[in-house]
């Protein structure tokens, strides 16, 4: 793992507005910068409340964002962006909407195609349009990062684009926008935020400059997630989760996730399991597996979640599993419609995601991955 004298690059959105009732600040910010035409990229529900953003001028809405968006969904977004000739692109929703907004901001009107920019730092700059991100869930932290993911339906693989040109000019994080998120989704996205933090904290690339966000994000989820699941209008709990999600996003840029997300991705690409639910199901298995390679940090994670610190694999698994299950999260693959006959193909898919597996503190072989899927079945 990295030490204090290891080099690291930290980036943040140029402006972050955080707090209950801040959604309307986007309109004022956009007007001050002279943006006359905006494209909002959203799902159908959030498209019904764009007035909260108080945007002036000509506003076009793309409301067909799908969960786990694929390349076809991106093509529709790019067509809408080109038609709108927008000066400002706004991601308004969960991680899917915000990731598509990032890609639209750099690809609409560009000579580059998606496949030409897959990977790190392949996007040609500078960006020609403004980019704003407004999250309506507390999970992905995509508002803070420089990565975007879409699924290739032909290969069922995630295509990851990383570029500083996808960094938002402004992120407006209004926890009030998350009050309407259902309890089950609140639970799953909250564990996703925690997984970002924990996987960064125990990562081979872990760095003290990021650790402070990672462990605090974990603590915030431990303190507030159950409260928000119980009462969606609990403003303090919702604010705590929004902050945890933002901190998780801070972790993704310089460090990124690891084995947990690698194993979760095939659940979404193959069986359309929501990203948060997939990560929550996998989380206790990979945390326990990694314990021997990161015993002190695992103990710190346990303490942050208000469990007795332990370096014992079984006790770590039991505590993390109980944390997720008590939130009402489904913890069995079989009950999510995943057939046992697909576990081998899923293991192949996950083992190929080297950009994440190579970050894991303990080597995950293909056999290890297959065993985890079997245990989770």
């Amino acid at each position: 793992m990295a030490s204090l004298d290891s080099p690291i690059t930290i980036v943040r959105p140029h402006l972050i507005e955080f707090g209950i009732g801040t959604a309307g600040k986007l309109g004022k910010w956009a007007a001050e910068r002279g943006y006359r035409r905006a494209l909002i990229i959203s799902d159908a529900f959030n498209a019904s409340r764009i007035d909260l953003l108080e945007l002036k001028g000509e506003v076009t809405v793309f409301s067909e964002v799908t969960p786990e968006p694929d390349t076809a969904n991106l093509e529709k977004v790019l067509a809408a962006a080109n038609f709108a000739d927008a000066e400002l692109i706004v991601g308004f929703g969960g991680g899917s909407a915000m990731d598509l907004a990032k890609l639209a901001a750099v690809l609409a009107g560009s000579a580059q195609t998606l496949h030409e920019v897959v990977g790190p730092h392949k996007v040609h700059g500078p960006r020609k349009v403004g980019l704003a991100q407004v999250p309506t869930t507390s999970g992905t932290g995509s508002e803070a990062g420089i990565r975007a993911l879409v699924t290739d339906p032909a290969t069922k693989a995630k295509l990851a684009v990383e570029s500083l040109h996808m960094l938002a000019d402004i992120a407006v994080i209004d926890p009030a926008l998350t009050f309407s998120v259902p309890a089950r989704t609140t639970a799953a996205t909250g564990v996703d935020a925690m997984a970002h933090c924990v996987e960064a904290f125990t990562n081979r690339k872990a760095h003290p400059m990021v650790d402070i966000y990672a462990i605090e994000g974990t603590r915030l989820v431990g303190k507030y997630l159950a409260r928000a699941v119980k009462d969606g209008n609990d403003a303090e709990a919702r604010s705590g989760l929004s902050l945890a999600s933002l901190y998780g996003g801070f972790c993704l840029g310089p460090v990124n996730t690891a084995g947990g997300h690698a194993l979760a991705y095939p659940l979404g690409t193959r069986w359309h399991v929501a990203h948060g639910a997939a990560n929550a199901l996998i989380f206790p298995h990979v945390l326990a597996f990694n314990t021997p390679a990161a015993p002190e940090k695992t103990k710190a994670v346990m303490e942050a979640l208000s469990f007795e610190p332990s370096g014992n694999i079984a006790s770590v698994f039991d505590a993390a599993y109980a944390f997720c299950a008590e939130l009402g999260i489904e913890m069995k693959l079989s009950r999510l419609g995943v057939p046992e006959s697909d576990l081998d193909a899923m293991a192949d898919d996950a083992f190929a995601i080297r950009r994440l597996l190579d970050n894991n503190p303990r080597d995950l072989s293909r056999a290890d991955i297959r065993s985890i899927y079997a245990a989770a079945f």
Side-chain angles (χ1 to χ4, degrees), residues 39-50 60-67 73 76-77 80 92 97 100:
L39 171 66
I40 298 176
I41 297 172
S42 185
D43 56 85
F45 171 72
N46 285 303
S48 69
R49 54 177 183 164
I50 62 170
T60 303
V61 181
F62 177 89
S63 61
E64 300 176 39
V65 171
T66 59
N73 202 203
K76 289 183 179 181
V77 169
F92 184 40
L100 289 174

Side-chain angles (χ1 to χ4, degrees), residues 2-372:
S3 61
L4 190 58
D5 59 356
S6 299
I8 191 169
T9 300
I10 303 291
V11 294
R12 301 282 183 270
H14 299 296
L15 177 63
I16 297 175
E17 296 283 2
F18 183 97
I20 299 288
T22 57
K25 289 190 175 185
L26 178 61
K28 180 180 179 181
W29 174 88
E32 288 174 348
R33 280 150 186 79
Y35 290 124
R36 298 163 297 171
R37 297 185 304 278
L39 171 66
I40 298 176
I41 297 172
S42 185
D43 56 85
F45 171 72
N46 285 303
S48 69
R49 54 177 183 164
I50 62 170
D51 289 349
L52 295 172
L53 304 179
E54 299 182 17
L55 287 166
K56 310 298 182 185
E58 185 178 339
V59 177
T60 303
V61 181
F62 177 89
S63 61
E64 300 176 39
V65 171
T66 59
E68 303 292 319
D70 61 12
T71 52
N73 202 203
L74 174 61
E75 288 302 320
K76 289 183 179 181
V77 169
L78 294 179
N82 288 327
F83 179 80
D85 191 25
E87 299 168 327
L88 173 66
I89 291 179
V90 181
F92 184 40
S96 296
M98 291 189 284
D99 278 9
L100 289 174
K102 290 176 188 175
L103 292 169
V106 297
L107 291 178
S110 168
Q112 289 187 286
T113 66
L114 171 65
H115 287 280
E116 288 173 334
V117 300
V118 170
H121 312 303
K122 295 181 180 180
V123 173
H124 297 162
R127 192 176 68 222
K128 298 177 182 178
V129 299
L131 176 61
Q133 301 283 25
V134 186
T136 61
T137 62
S138 298
T140 67
S142 185
E143 68 274 10
I146 58 172
R147 289 187 178 90
L149 301 171
V150 290
T151 299
D152 183 341
T155 63
K156 300 187 185 303
K158 292 276 190 180
L159 302 178
V161 180
E162 177 183 351
S163 173
L164 289 171
H165 297 300
M166 296 196 302
L167 185 66
D169 297 306
I170 182 172
V172 180
I173 303 153
D174 185 344
L177 295 172
T178 70
F179 286 1
S180 58
V181 178
R184 187 176 296 274
T185 305
T186 297
T189 54
V191 176
D192 184 29
M194 179 177 67
H196 293 159
C197 293
V198 171
E199 289 180 44
F201 188 62
T202 56
N203 203 294
R204 281 179 175 165
K205 297 178 183 175
H207 193 283
M209 195 170 179
V210 174
D211 282 354
I212 190 169
Y213 294 113
I215 198 62
E216 178 62 10
T218 303
R219 188 191 68 80
L220 287 166
V221 172
K223 182 176 181 179
Y224 290 118
L225 182 52
R227 276 176 52 177
V229 169
K230 183 178 180 181
D231 178 7
N233 292 313
D234 184 332
E236 182 184 27
R238 289 294 194 183
S239 297
L241 291 181
S242 291
L243 188 57
S245 181
L246 178 65
Y247 284 173
F250 287 171
C251 295
L252 295 182
V255 176
N256 208 5
T257 53
H261 271 64
L263 270 67
Y265 280 147
L267 277 67
T269 55
R270 286 182 167 274
W271 297 103
H272 306 292
V273 176
H275 179 69
N279 273 292
L281 187 152
I282 292 295
F283 174 74
H285 296 273
V286 175
L287 180 67
F289 178 87
N290 287 338
T291 296
E296 294 307 313
K297 285 200 165 183
T298 303
K299 289 178 181 178
V301 169
M302 290 291 98
E303 288 181 328
L305 296 176
S306 299
F307 290 110
E308 189 69 28
S310 171
N312 179 273
I313 292 177
S315 61
V316 168
F317 174 82
D318 289 344
Y321 187 96
F323 179 86
C324 296
E326 288 171 6
L327 294 167
I329 297 170
E330 179 53 63
M331 299 301 290
K332 291 294 183 182
L333 289 173
S334 55
R335 294 176 190 160
L336 292 174
V338 177
E340 190 170 12
S341 60
D342 204 47
L343 299 189
D344 282 310
M346 287 168 52
D348 290 339
D349 288 353
F351 187 63
I353 307 176
R354 302 316 310 176
R355 66 184 181 85
L356 300 184
L357 288 182
D358 289 346
N359 296 340
N360 206 60
R362 182 180 175 193
D363 287 338
L364 269 161
S365 68
R366 192 239 179 234
D368 293 327
I369 295 170
R370 179 62 172 78
S371 295
I372 288 175

